[in-house]
């Protein structure tokens, strides 16, 4: 019999603070956020991308282009899990060519999801610059991928899993570490 141990490591308020901090860092890094496109990796990355865009709008008082980038067919584990449901890619008006794109994901782990996202991104256009924002970086990289903006670094063991809960999907906001016992 397997039991699990859960620990809430970020609350709703912590997540909001992290996204606000990331928004300010994006503005600073992009010199005000001109020609910026925020693309979230479904499912929770797309939700977080919308929230980040809202924070950027509040701070800069300008519209920020936001969309989502489906990576389903670019994954290197598709043969292991062939029944994945694709999510539609939604690229804002004006596209991504010659613009700064901020890819948003919920958890950065091995780097394989981000690698797939980069492949998908360059199939739809040629951005001037690509930056990566993640709510949680849990380590254990298998590819040379490094985030530009991180909400929280959470050193974890490989036996642990990190779950992101978003109000829009799960009915609550939280980051939870689960360890199998």
């Amino acid at each position: 019999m397997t039991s699990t141990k859960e620990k809430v490591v970020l609350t709703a308020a912590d997540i909001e603070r992290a996204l606000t901090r990331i928004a300010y860092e994006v503005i600073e890094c992009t010199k005000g956020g001109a020609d910026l496109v925020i693309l979230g990796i479904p499912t929770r990355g797309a939700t977080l991308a919308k929230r980040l865009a809202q924070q950027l709008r509040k701070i800069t008082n300008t519209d920020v282009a936001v969309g989502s980038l489906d990576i389903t067919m670019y994954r290197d584990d598709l043969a292991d899990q062939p029944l994945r449901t694709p999510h539609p890619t939604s690229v804002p008006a004006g596209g991504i060519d010659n613009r700064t794109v901020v890819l948003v994901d919920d958890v950065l782990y091995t780097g394989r999801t981000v690698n797939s996202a980069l492949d998908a991104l360059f199939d739809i256009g040629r951005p001037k610059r690509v930056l990566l924002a993640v709510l949680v970086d849990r380590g254990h990289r298998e590819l040379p991928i490094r985030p530009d903006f991180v909400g929280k670094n959470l050193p974890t063991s490989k036996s642990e899993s990190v779950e992101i809960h978003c109000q829009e999907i799960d009915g609550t906001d939280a980051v939870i570490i689960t360890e199998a016992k």
Side-chain angles (χ1 to χ4, degrees):
M1 184 170 165
T2 304
S3 66
T4 59
K5 180 179 156 188
E6 290 186 351
K7 179 181 177 188
V8 175
V9 291
L10 293 178
T11 64
D14 296 328
I15 292 170
E16 184 175 350
R17 268 193 306 279
L19 289 173
T20 300
R21 183 173 30 77
I22 290 171
Y24 278 105
E25 290 173 359
V26 167
I27 291 166
E28 186 173 327
C29 181
T30 61
K31 297 181 178 23
D35 272 339
L36 191 62
V37 176
I38 309 293
L39 291 178
I41 300 170
T43 299
R44 285 162 186 79
T47 300
L48 295 170
K50 289 176 188 172
R51 291 188 192 180
L52 179 59
Q54 288 172 345
Q55 286 292 342
L56 289 165
R57 279 186 207 108
K58 283 183 197 174
I59 296 165
T60 65
N61 203 27
T62 58
D63 280 339
V64 177
V66 64
S68 62
L69 180 67
D70 181 51
I71 64 161
T72 304
M73 301 312 291
Y74 294 87
R75 296 186 60 94
D76 63 3
D77 62 352
L78 196 56
D80 297 336
Q81 298 176 353
L83 298 178
R84 291 183 184 268
T85 304
H87 302 272
T89 290
S90 169
V91 178
I96 63 167
D97 290 339
N98 297 313
R99 297 174 81 181
T100 298
V101 173
V102 178
L103 286 175
V104 179
D105 203 6
D106 54 355
V107 178
L108 179 57
Y109 184 33
T110 63
R112 293 183 180 282
T113 297
V114 174
N115 188 58
S116 299
L118 290 169
D119 289 343
L121 184 67
F122 284 102
D123 271 358
I124 61 172
R126 185 159 187 228
K128 175 172 65 177
R129 183 177 183 194
V130 179
L131 300 168
L132 176 61
V134 297
L135 181 59
V136 171
D137 182 352
R138 64 171 290 189
H140 304 287
R141 217 76 77 239
E142 295 174 3
L143 298 173
I145 304 276
R146 180 186 53 83
D148 299 284
F149 314 106
V150 179
K152 180 80 172 169
N153 286 296
L154 288 176
T156 61
S157 72
K158 289 188 176 188
S159 67
E160 295 173 312
S161 65
V162 176
E163 298 174 15
I164 307 296
H165 293 250
C166 293
Q167 179 70 41
E168 299 88 334
I169 299 166
D170 308 297
T172 187
D173 282 340
V175 175
I176 300 168
I177 293 180
T178 305
E179 182 175 0
K181 286 273 184 177

